[in-house]
Structures are given as C-alpha cells and as structure tokens.
Amino acid sequence: SEWSALSIPGVRWRGPARFLDQAPRIYRAARINLDLTRIYQLDGWSDRVFNVLANGGFLIANRTQSIAACFEPLPNSHRSP
C-alpha cells in the first residue's frame, strides 16, 4: 500500500483495520476523524460520517447539501464564504 511508504514523524502504518472490531475502536480513540468529499462525489457523503458518529468519534467533514439536509440544524457548523 502507498500508505506504508509515508514517512511522517510520530505516524506508523499498521495496515488496514478490520471493519467490525478494529475500526470502531480507531474512530473512538482518534482525537479527530476526517471525512473529505471525493471530487466525483461533491454533494454526497461516505459511510464514514455515520460510522464515526455511531461509534462515539469526533468528525470534521466538509459541508455538502446532503450532510446539511441530514443533520439540520447544525449547531456548530461553519460555512466558508
């Protein structure tokens, strides 16, 4: 995997996480989980949005119409100009 070739101080690639038992622990343990929309899916979301939130993680995602419609009102959302 290309991730294993990265050299970032303090970061160690541990391989892919098993979805049912490892991913929930990772989502909960991470200080911040990111969900950035892919270029070909600008008005959607990935299942990571729900997986992180369902497992008690903190998520930062770019605002899309789909996410806004699902979570309105967004009390702590920020809209860039």
Side-chain angles (χ1 to χ4, degrees), residues 16-28 55:
R18 291 187 309 267
F19 183 74
L20 294 178
D21 62 331
Q22 292 177 326
R25 289 196 309 261
I26 293 168
Y27 292 145
R28 273 192 305 275
N55 287 290

Side-chain angles (χ1 to χ4, degrees), residues 4-61:
S4 61
L6 291 177
S7 178
I8 302 171
V11 175
R12 182 171 56 125
W13 168 251
R14 297 182 185 186
R18 291 187 309 267
F19 183 74
L20 294 178
D21 62 331
Q22 292 177 326
R25 289 196 309 261
I26 293 168
Y27 292 145
R28 273 192 305 275
R31 289 183 182 173
I32 300 172
N33 293 277
L34 296 176
D35 186 66
L36 305 175
T37 306
R38 292 173 173 84
I39 191 79
Y40 57 83
Q41 189 181 4
L42 292 177
D43 188 35
W45 62 62
S46 73
D47 61 344
R48 180 174 296 123
V49 170
F50 299 102
N51 292 334
V52 170
L53 298 177
N55 287 290
F58 176 77
L59 178 75
I60 294 178

Side-chain angles (χ1 to χ4, degrees), residues 53-67:
L53 298 177
N55 287 290
F58 176 77
L59 178 75
I60 294 178
N62 58 306
R63 185 184 180 99
T64 67
Q65 290 179 358
S66 298
I67 290 175

